[in-house]
Amino acid sequence: QKEVEQDPGPLSVPEGAIVSLNCTYSNSAFQYFMWYRQYSRKGPELLMYTYSSGNKEDGRFTAQVDKSSKYISLFIRDSQPSDSATYLCSSGGSNYKLTFGKGTLLTVNP
Amino acid sequence: DAGVTQSPTHLIKTRGQQVTLRCSPKSGHDTVSWYQQALGQGPQFIFQYYEEEERQRGNFPDRFSGHQFPNYSSELNVNALLLGDSALYLCASSPYFRDTYEQYFGPGTRLTVT
């Protein structure tokens, strides 16, 4: 079992839709949870960073972590065509090493 | 504020050759991590450098080695290249605070091994 599992999609939604992206993880030592956005042939861009369980909101983006179920979510409200990208979830413990999911390819259609 | 920079952008090498990739961290960052991202996969951790020493290492063979310089920049070296080494190599930098995982990635170096 991979330490971080992510449905690769692809996911296609109309502009303005609410998007829900999800990951699960298996390592109980993970305490740090990140979402990255990666455009084609570019490096990942840090979107959200959370520590332990709870919610974090930044503009149209909300990250949720449920440590009891080892579930990580990213919600995008009022999705825009410019949100079309691959979204990567990642987790880490005390050793500063990030473990990534495979990424979910999202397309927002105008 | 300059972000993480990497060079070169693209590289084509032949099996058996050696390659060196370079990374300059974001201003104010002193820790550099290297990742390998194969097509359609998430990045995989290779190793991390802080204070010019390798602090953590992922499941990569000894053909992968690195170095960090006093100005915090870093190099990744890969010897005896295999076809399977073809990937996007990403450098990420972060400040060395105990509780932060805020790693910022560069644009990557795309390595093709023929």
Side-chain angles (χ1 to χ4, degrees):
Chain A
Q1 180 188 12
K2 288 188 176 292
E3 287 190 299
V4 178
E5 299 271 8
Q6 183 174 11
D7 185 344
L11 183 62
S12 181
V13 301
E15 183 175 353
I18 296 174
V19 176
S20 172
L21 302 167
N22 306 294
C23 290
T24 58
Y25 66 95
S26 59
N27 191 333
S28 298
F30 285 164
Q31 302 176 70
Y32 303 89
F33 306 93
M34 279 68 62
W35 284 95
Y36 286 84
R37 177 174 61 194
Q38 186 173 27
Y39 293 112
S40 182
R41 308 186 81 82
K42 302 290 186 184
E45 171 195 7
L46 180 62
L47 275 180
M48 302 287 284
Y49 163 65
T50 54
Y51 170 72
S52 195
S53 283
N55 295 358
K56 185 172 184 178
E57 189 173 318
D58 184 1
R60 297 183 296 111
F61 297 89
T62 300
Q64 284 186 354
V65 177
D66 182 346
K67 291 192 73 180
S68 62
S69 61
K70 296 188 176 65
Y71 204 79
I72 314 164
S73 300
L74 178 71
F75 299 95
I76 307 174
R77 291 183 299 282
D78 187 26
S79 56
Q80 302 295 310
S82 58
D83 295 328
S84 298
T86 295
Y87 289 79
L88 296 156
C89 62
S90 68
S91 302
S94 59
N95 61 4
Y96 303 100
K97 164 192 159 185
L98 292 184
T99 301
F100 283 83
K102 291 179 68 170
T104 299
L105 178 61
L106 170 68
T107 301
V108 180
N109 300 297
Chain B
D1 177 22
V4 179
T5 59
Q6 292 185 245
S7 63
T9 305
H10 296 92
L11 207 49
I12 299 175
K13 289 288 189 178
T14 304
R15 272 178 300 177
Q17 285 189 317
Q18 178 263 344
V19 68
T20 297
L21 311 181
R22 295 176 176 83
C23 171
S24 290
K26 187 177 167 64
S27 177
H29 288 183
D30 53 10
T31 301
V32 173
S33 302
W34 286 93
Y35 293 81
Q36 180 194 65
Q37 186 176 26
L39 201 61
Q41 303 293 317
Q44 278 198 290
F45 176 78
I46 302 175
F47 43 53
Q48 184 179 85
Y49 277 85
Y50 171 68
E51 291 190 331
E52 302 178 49
E53 290 191 3
E54 183 183 292
R55 288 203 306 159
Q56 297 285 339
R57 189 176 183 94
N59 295 325
F60 280 81
D62 292 344
R63 298 188 297 110
F64 290 77
S65 64
H67 188 77
Q68 186 179 35
F69 299 94
N71 67 352
Y72 309 124
S73 67
S74 177
E75 288 182 350
L76 165 65
N77 301 291
V78 187
N79 294 323
L81 285 167
L82 304 173
L83 293 179
D85 295 332
S86 295
L88 180 68
Y89 287 85
L90 295 162
C91 167
S93 74
S94 53
Y96 184 68
F97 296 110
R98 192 165 184 81
D99 296 326
T100 185
Y101 273 77
E102 291 186 54
Q103 295 189 13
Y104 294 85
F105 283 82
T109 293
R110 187 161 299 280
L111 172 65
T112 302
V113 183
T114 62

